[in-house]
């Protein structure tokens, strides 16, 4: 059943309050929807200084050595458990609290440096990478960002050292990608000293092994008996009423992670354990997920790099029809696609991480784009890797089928990609949409002002079509491709008014997911291309660029531009109506 206008308005209001409270800033990705290119935000390509680079390279070498010698990914998958020796070893290397301040035992790594560590774990063992991400990137990170000094002093030292593990408990039977639909309740006690939690959580990584859990629950709004807001609580398993319903659910992939189900029955949590502000729990969740999605991108980059290496080496050695596989064009196509998109993943991850390190105010679209882009293209890369290995990849004595099973969760976890595509499109279009709506209202209320605004808008549209968006490059060799990117950035800004016009109303646009996907795909490829261009310019400026990397980057731009152009065409010419008729007919045929 379609949502009513009242339901849509309610959802819109809740989203506005959550995402756009306070002054709104214009990040790089949001600017793309206006047809603007904020070059200073991603140029020059961010790199660690020489001192940081040396520290990080030493840490990477230590983690790689430990992974090679101590993390048996096949056994972890087979036994569905990460040994305590692995957890303790990661703790000794500082991985479990790598970005935490030194006062709590951490190593104070910046996000960009930490992503380079997560890349190694992602390429070696997906289960271990997900475990670390749950513990650190969304577990400890919530305490670092929103915890009081008392909360941090109480829990961070043991979490950083690995004596205690963290978990982030948001998902419920009715709250997956729809995070705002949390049903677990937190009722204030009569004496005002705490809250009583009732409800259940499922699909929680580290649920049964964590000693500190960030739990989302719904608290009443004072003075409004029928309203409630989500609040974040710090919960420990020793609280009466805390129950592990299922410690380790059997799963298709990332089997080593302890994914569990919890139940809270009249569980009292002291008010001192509220994390952040009462009623602002979704803000905690979304902020933490921005960090988690960045390290998610790093893990996918690591996995993609391993696939590229494996498929390429096999293709050079395997002989069929008196030729190595690497001589066949359809194999070359798969290797080129994998290398190109791996290059883009790494560039996007490092730039997203740099936004965090630089204290940027707005990067929620960039991290959502990174998550969708990296998980979708990693799936294709793993698929193609298996195809190149052929039947050999299908057997469990090889790692390739495990890579496929592990990669499948990525497009679902931390926000399903379909939901995030609508998020990218709607949030990105909000600014241009509000600008046009203000002009429309002026035409009605103040015709002369509205007429002036309208003429100004028409003038800007004409100027955009006859002027060029220049993206200055250090390298002369990239100027033509930079010009092509600028053309497509401007085209997005020019196209949106007509997308809105064809939708007819804001309410219709908000549910136009066919176009959401196209707009999101355009924005993702524009952002990815911008990051790739920045990285290519950086590599060429050093005069020691790797030929394979340079060609991969250039090939990505070609592929991305082709996809962007096709999506622009499909905004106007498509089979949406027939898609809906077919789906509806099939849906109605099943009782």
């Amino acid at each position: 059943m379609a949502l009513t206008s009242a339901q849509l308005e309610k959802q819109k209001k809740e989203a506005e309050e959550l995402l756009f409270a306070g002054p709104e800033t214009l990040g790089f990705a949001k600017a793309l929807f206006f047809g603007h290119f904020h070059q200073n935000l991603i140029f020059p390509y961010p790199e660690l200084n020489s001192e940081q680079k040396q520290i990080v390279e030493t840490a990477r070498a230590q983690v790689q050595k430990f992974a090679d010698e101590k993390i048996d990914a096949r056994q972890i998958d087979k036994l569905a458990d990460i040994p305590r020796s692995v957890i303790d070893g990661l703790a000794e290397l500082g991985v479990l609290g790598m970005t935490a301040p030194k006062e709590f035992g951490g190593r104070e790594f910046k996000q960009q440096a930490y992503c380079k560590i997560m890349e190694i774990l992602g390429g070696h063992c997906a289960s271990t990478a997900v475990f670390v991400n749950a513990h650190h990137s969304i577990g400890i990170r919530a305490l670092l960002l929103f915890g009081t000094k008392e909360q941090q002093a109480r829990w961070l030292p043991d979490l950083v050292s690995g004596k205690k593990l963290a978990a982030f408990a948001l998902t419920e039977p009715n709250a997956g990608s729809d995070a705002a639909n949390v049903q677990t309740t937190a009722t204030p006690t009569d004496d005002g000293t705490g809250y009583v939690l009732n409800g259940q959580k499922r699909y929680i990584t580290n649920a049964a092994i964590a000693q500190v859990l960030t739990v989302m629950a719904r608290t009443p709004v004072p003075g409004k008996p029928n309203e409630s807001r989500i609040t974040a609580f710090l919960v420990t398993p020793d609280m009466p009423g805390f129950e592990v319903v299922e410690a380790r659910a059997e799963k298709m992939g990332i089997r080593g992670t302890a994914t569990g189900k919890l139940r809270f029955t009249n569980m009292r949590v002291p008010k001192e354990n509220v994390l952040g502000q009462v009623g602002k729990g979704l803000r905690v969740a979304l902020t933490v997920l921005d960090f988690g999605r960045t390290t998610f991108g790093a893990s996918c980059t690591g996995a993609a790099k391993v696939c590229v290496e494996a498929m390429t080496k096999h293709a050079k050695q395997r002989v069929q029809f008196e030729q190595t596989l690497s001589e066949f064009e359809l194999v070359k196509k798969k290797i080129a696609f994998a290398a190109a998109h791996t290059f883009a993943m790494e560039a996007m991850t490092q730039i997203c991480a740099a936004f965090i390190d630089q204290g940027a105010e707005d990067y929620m679209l960039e991290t959502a784009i990174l998550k969708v882009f990296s998980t979708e293209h990693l799936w294709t890369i793993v698929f193609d890797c298996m195809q190149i290995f052929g039947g050999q990849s299908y057997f469990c004595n090889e790692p390739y089928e495990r890579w496929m099973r592990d990669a499948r969760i990525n497009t679902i976890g931390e926000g399903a990609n379909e939901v995030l595509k609508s998020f990218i499109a709607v949030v990105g279009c909000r600014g241009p949409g509000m600008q046009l709506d203000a002009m429309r209202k002026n035409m009605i209320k103040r015709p002369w002002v509205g007429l002036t605004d309208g003429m100004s808008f028409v003038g800007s549209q004409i100027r955009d079509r006859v002027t060029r968006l220049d993206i200055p490059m250090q390298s002369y060799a990239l100027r033509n491709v930079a010009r092509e990117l600028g053309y497509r950035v401007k085209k997005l800004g020019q196209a949106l008014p007509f997308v809105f016009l064809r939708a007819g109303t804001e309410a219709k646009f908000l549910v136009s997911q066919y176009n959401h996907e196209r707009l999101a795909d355009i924005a993702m490829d524009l952002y990815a291309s911008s990051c790739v261009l920045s990285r290519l310019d950086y590599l060429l400026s050093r005069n020691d660029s790797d030929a394979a990397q340079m060609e991969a980057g250039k090939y990505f731009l070609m592929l991305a531009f082709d996809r962007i152009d096709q999506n622009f065409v499909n905004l106007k010419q498509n089979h949406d109506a027939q898609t809906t008729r077919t789906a509806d007919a099939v849906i109605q045929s099943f009782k």
Side-chain angles (χ1 to χ4, degrees), residues 323-457:
Q323 295 183 89
T324 61
L325 294 184
S326 60
E327 294 298 319
F328 292 95
E329 287 185 348
L330 291 184
V331 172
K332 291 178 186 289
K333 182 180 178 181
K334 288 176 169 54
I335 292 173
F337 179 95
H341 287 78
T342 301
F343 184 92
M345 279 184 217
E346 185 171 9
M348 295 166 74
T349 298
Q350 287 301 301
I351 286 177
C352 275
F355 286 151
I356 292 173
D357 292 341
Q358 293 161 6
E361 295 182 29
D362 182 18
Y363 44 79
M364 64 178 172
L365 272 195
E366 288 82 354
T367 58
I369 286 172
L370 173 61
K371 191 272 180 183
V372 176
F373 181 95
S374 60
T375 58
E376 285 194 350
H377 291 304
L378 175 61
W379 178 250
T380 302
I381 291 168
V382 172
F383 181 95
D384 286 347
C385 180
M386 290 188 70
Q387 199 68 12
I388 289 174
F389 273 92
Q392 180 182 343
S393 71
Y394 202 72
F395 293 88
C396 296
N397 62 323
E398 301 278 4
Y400 315 111
E401 60 84 30
R402 169 168 49 82
W403 293 355
M404 180 272 294
R405 288 187 289 102
D406 288 341
R408 186 62 192 88
I409 188 60
N410 294 339
T411 61
I412 300 170
E414 295 200 21
N417 283 8
E418 292 77 9
V419 175
L420 286 176
K421 283 190 176 185
S422 283
F423 170 82
I424 292 163
V426 171
V427 172
C429 288
R430 180 177 180 268
M434 289 178 66
Q435 191 177 72
L436 288 171
D437 190 51
M439 185 174 67
R440 179 186 63 83
K441 289 176 179 177
N442 271 338
M443 291 287 285
I444 297 171
K445 294 180 179 179
R446 296 186 293 171
W448 287 110
V449 175
L451 181 61
T452 302
D453 289 345
M455 292 176 66
S456 176
F457 172 73

Side-chain angles (χ1 to χ4, degrees), residues 478-537:
L478 296 174
R479 290 182 183 177
N480 284 337
V481 76
R483 191 174 297 123
E484 287 192 51
L485 174 60
Y487 163 75
R488 289 169 175 82
V489 170
K490 285 185 66 174
K491 190 171 181 179
L492 177 58
Q494 294 164 2
L496 286 185
F498 301 99
V499 173
F500 300 150
L501 186 64
R502 284 191 292 271
T505 66
E506 181 185 21
K508 287 183 180 178
F509 175 75
L510 289 175
V511 295
S512 300
Q513 289 195 326
Y514 297 136
N515 274 340
H516 291 174
E517 181 174 49
R518 294 178 187 115
L519 291 170
D521 285 344
I522 290 169
M524 286 193 296
D525 273 330
L526 286 176
Y527 176 62
S529 298
S530 302
C531 295
V532 165
L533 194 61
S534 176
R535 188 179 179 197
L536 286 174
D537 200 38

